[in-house]
Amino acid sequence: SQQGEEDPQALSIQEGENATMNCSYKTSINNLQWYRQNSGRGLVHLILIRSNEREKHSGRLRVTLDTSKKSSSLLITASRAADTASYFCAGGFSGGYNKLIFGAGTRLAVHP
Amino acid sequence: NAGVTQTPKFRVLKTGQSMTLLCAQDMNHEYMYWYRQDPGMGLRLIHYSVGEGTTAKGEVPDGYNVSRLKKQNFLLGLESAAPSQTSVYFCASSYSRRLSLNYGYTFGSGTRLTVV
């Protein structure tokens, strides 16, 4: 079962534009994480936001979390061709085995 | 380079054959995981381990077995491969719960398995 559902499934933009991806989840979580996957590679952890946080920044990344709506967004500012990848959100649970449940991902294409 | 290493990177099996996928991490992570990734379905957890000598079932464990004899290694076995097990397999590791609130998973680069 998927915890996160990303929207849109695919996004195509020009270099320099901002890219916004949304994620909705079903059950209460302890944290929400975002990962990037380049074609044919493994996932790379981008950012983690805790359930008691509303916004977090890391370089050109901005993540928001709205626990009342069970949703999160990832904003990539001033996108570059190198940002072309799939982006996954994952609902995290700090108990037990650090369970993560991933969504199906958003495919981002940034055109030069 | 520190990280998670998976071997092999590619493999083609015939139905009914067996194989073992190896995952090794050098970050002293307590927890390790095996996921499969299929188009449009995200990642689904197969098995996981919270320490040396321990394993547990995830979301889709049928047809797979695992072992963690050493802290740094986590093996995934397919005893009798089926076409439905054609997928990309990812190993990941993480710190234990005590440290987890500031860290995510570290993933390997994946094994692309085709069962014909």
Side-chain angles (χ1 to χ4, degrees):
Chain A
S1 60
Q2 292 179 349
Q3 172 69 272
E5 295 183 2
E6 286 91 342
D7 170 51
Q9 292 185 335
L11 182 61
S12 182
I13 60 175
Q14 297 295 125
E15 253 188 341
E17 294 180 340
N18 295 341
T20 300
M21 288 160 271
N22 302 300
C23 169
S24 60
Y25 56 92
K26 299 175 183 177
T27 61
S28 295
I29 56 174
N30 293 105
N31 61 75
L32 193 290
Q33 303 182 26
W34 286 89
Y35 289 79
R36 183 188 73 228
Q37 184 180 34
N38 291 89
S39 180
R41 308 295 296 273
L43 279 73
V44 174
H45 181 251
L46 293 176
I47 194 167
L48 180 155
I49 185 167
R50 303 182 199 181
S51 59
N52 61 355
E53 298 176 311
R54 293 296 169 259
E55 187 171 312
K56 200 164 184 178
H57 297 255
S58 177
R60 293 184 297 112
L61 305 180
R62 172 177 170 259
V63 170
T64 62
L65 180 64
D66 187 335
T67 53
S68 66
K69 296 181 179 179
K70 292 187 169 56
S71 67
S72 174
S73 67
L74 172 67
L75 169 66
I76 304 174
T77 60
S79 62
R80 306 166 182 168
D83 294 328
T84 294
S86 291
Y87 292 81
F88 295 87
C89 69
F93 305 84
S94 60
Y97 60 93
N98 294 344
K99 180 178 180 179
L100 277 184
I101 301 181
F102 289 84
T106 292
R107 297 186 308 278
L108 173 66
V110 182
H111 302 284
Chain B
N1 292 334
V4 177
T5 303
Q6 291 183 233
T7 54
K9 295 188 184 304
F10 302 94
R11 185 73 185 269
V12 178
L13 285 181
K14 293 182 179 179
T15 297
Q17 286 185 321
S18 64
M19 77 164 295
T20 299
L21 283 69
L22 173 64
C23 175
Q25 54 95 4
D26 58 5
M27 296 168 287
N28 203 33
H29 284 170
E30 291 83 0
Y31 296 177
M32 297 187 74
Y33 317 85
W34 276 107
Y35 283 87
R36 60 178 288 172
Q37 184 178 35
D38 301 292
M41 299 190 72
L43 279 80
R44 292 181 292 169
L45 182 64
I46 304 171
H47 286 279
Y48 64 94
S49 168
V50 297
E52 182 178 316
T54 72
T55 63
K57 295 180 180 180
E59 182 185 0
V60 288
D62 293 343
Y64 306 95
N65 56 76
V66 288
S67 64
R68 192 161 178 207
L69 301 179
K70 294 182 179 180
K71 184 177 183 178
Q72 63 268 34
N73 295 337
F74 196 28
L75 279 64
L76 177 71
L78 285 74
E79 292 185 346
S80 179
S84 61
Q85 294 177 305
T86 293
S87 187
V88 181
Y89 292 86
F90 287 99
C91 177
S93 66
S94 75
Y95 287 110
S96 68
R97 182 175 60 184
R98 180 173 61 86
L99 298 175
S100 69
L101 291 181
N102 290 314
Y103 298 93
Y105 288 9
T106 301
F107 280 85
S109 59
T111 295
R112 187 174 296 276
L113 175 66
T114 302
V115 183
V116 298

